[in-house]
Amino acid sequence: GINAEYGGHKKEIWGLCIGHQGNTIFTASHDFSIRIWQETEEMLFLEEEKENAMDEMFESSVEREAITVVNDLENEASVTGKKRLETLLASEQIIEAVDLADEEAAVEEEHQLVVKKKKDAPRPAPNPLLMGMTGSDYLMKIVKGIRGSDLEDSLLLLPFDTVIRLLSYLEKWLSLGREVELSSRIVFFLLKVHHNQLVNNSQVLKTLSNLALYSRKGLQSIKDLIGLNMAALQYYSQEVEIQSKFITSEIALKLANKKKKPKKLKAF
């Protein structure tokens, strides 16, 4: 084994030559360097050299592990920070969309009052931020655009007054049967988080009652549709199985008849 190590070359040694007096060694390496090694008066203790080598190996392994742990922590922190930033941005988008939808609803309500007094009253200019959509449709687009993994975290950051206003739009969507699964998921999560505040707020009791009715009706229709599709798939599977058995038996019958058919005699 190696009794002692000496640093100098950075790559493998290609050539070695011993001086005439025996106390000098010349080495040439693949790193394009030449080293001259001279014997000294310092004593070499093999056990001590082995212990030093083991200590260096241990320290280098500990240092590598420490660097790996630090890198892992930095990566985890960056991923967590990115996720928190995405969640914060998603919640801000919901708040902004709810505000825009409320503003659009207020403008429309004011316009209807004006129309009652003056039927040929011009319609107000549309809000360019809504991109040609109604406030409710724009809010639905924003909510649908949030990743499922970030949705609940972003809902946690919503102020309570925004939650109440959002529930009114969820009530509208469920009454029309739009995005029933997504709307029901949001309703159930908000009810779980803000249960005590909502049930003690008399202004939202009617909304909560309607949400229970519409969500139950919408989810039941989805359940019926899934059951119908499953029944249709089972029926189709049975039909395919029957057809395959019929085809198999028909092929077997043709093969049997072919074997029984007598061969023609040929005259010479």
Side-chain angles (χ1 to χ4, degrees):
I2 298 176
N3 293 330
E5 294 183 2
Y6 299 96
H9 294 295
K10 300 189 180 300
K11 293 186 179 181
E12 62 271 12
I13 294 175
W14 281 2
L16 183 146
C17 180
I18 301 177
H20 295 293
Q21 298 180 358
N23 59 354
T24 306
I25 298 177
F26 304 88
T27 57
S29 171
H30 181 50
D31 60 4
F32 303 102
S33 65
I34 297 176
R35 301 286 181 181
I36 302 175
W37 310 85
Q38 292 183 342
E39 183 181 5
T40 63
E41 299 296 331
E42 183 179 355
M43 299 294 293
L44 177 65
F45 300 96
L46 297 183
E47 293 297 329
E48 184 178 351
E49 293 294 331
K50 290 181 180 179
E51 290 180 0
N52 292 335
M54 292 295 293
D55 291 341
E56 290 180 0
M57 290 177 59
F58 177 75
E59 290 176 359
S60 62
S61 64
V62 171
E63 184 178 357
R64 286 195 300 269
E65 291 179 0
I67 294 174
T68 303
V69 171
V70 170
N71 292 335
D72 292 342
L73 291 175
E74 290 179 352
N75 294 333
E76 184 178 354
S78 63
V79 171
T80 304
K82 182 179 179 181
K83 183 175 178 61
R84 289 178 179 175
L85 179 60
E86 292 176 352
T87 302
L88 182 60
L89 291 176
S91 64
E92 290 179 352
Q93 286 181 336
I94 295 176
I95 296 172
E96 181 182 1
V98 171
D99 292 339
L100 289 174
D102 286 347
E103 291 176 6
E104 194 259 351
V107 170
E108 181 63 24
E109 183 179 356
E110 184 179 355
H111 174 68
Q112 294 300 328
L113 294 175
V114 174
V115 168
K116 289 181 180 180
K117 298 178 181 179
K118 187 178 179 182
K119 293 184 178 180
D120 58 346
R123 291 194 61 84
N127 190 338
L129 296 177
L130 297 177
M131 298 182 293
M133 295 180 286
T134 64
S136 178
D137 291 341
Y138 178 76
L139 176 58
M140 178 179 288
K141 176 180 177 296
I142 294 297
V143 173
K144 288 175 61 178
I146 300 174
R147 291 190 304 180
S149 58
D150 297 332
L151 180 59
E152 293 185 353
D153 291 337
S154 61
L155 293 174
L156 282 173
L157 300 177
L158 297 180
F160 185 68
D161 64 319
T162 304
V163 170
I164 294 178
R165 290 183 288 159
L166 178 59
L167 287 176
S168 64
Y169 291 102
L170 292 169
E171 177 188 3
K172 180 180 179 181
W173 298 344
L174 287 172
S175 66
L176 298 174
R178 301 181 61 187
E179 299 296 334
V180 175
E181 293 182 60
L182 176 61
S183 301
S184 299
R185 177 188 174 188
I186 297 174
V187 168
F188 297 153
F189 181 77
L190 292 177
L191 287 175
K192 182 174 66 175
V193 174
H194 304 282
H195 178 267
N196 293 333
Q197 292 174 286
L198 290 173
V199 296
N200 293 320
N201 192 329
S202 59
Q203 297 179 354
V204 297
L205 291 180
K206 184 178 180 181
T207 302
L208 295 178
S209 178
N210 291 336
L211 285 171
L213 176 64
Y214 297 145
S215 62
R216 187 181 297 111
K217 181 179 178 181
L219 293 175
Q220 184 62 45
S221 64
I222 293 177
K223 182 179 178 182
D224 294 340
L225 180 61
I226 294 174
L228 179 63
N229 290 337
M230 291 182 64
L233 288 173
Q234 291 177 357
Y235 175 78
Y236 181 74
S237 176
Q238 293 174 0
E239 287 293 318
V240 170
E241 186 178 357
I242 292 173
Q243 290 292 333
S244 62
K245 288 182 180 179
F246 175 76
I247 294 173
T248 303
S249 60
E250 187 177 2
I251 294 174
L253 182 61
K254 287 182 179 180
L255 291 175
N257 293 334
K258 186 176 181 180
K259 290 180 180 180
K260 292 180 181 179
K261 188 175 181 180
K263 297 182 180 179
K264 292 182 179 180
L265 299 178
K266 185 177 181 182
F268 294 93

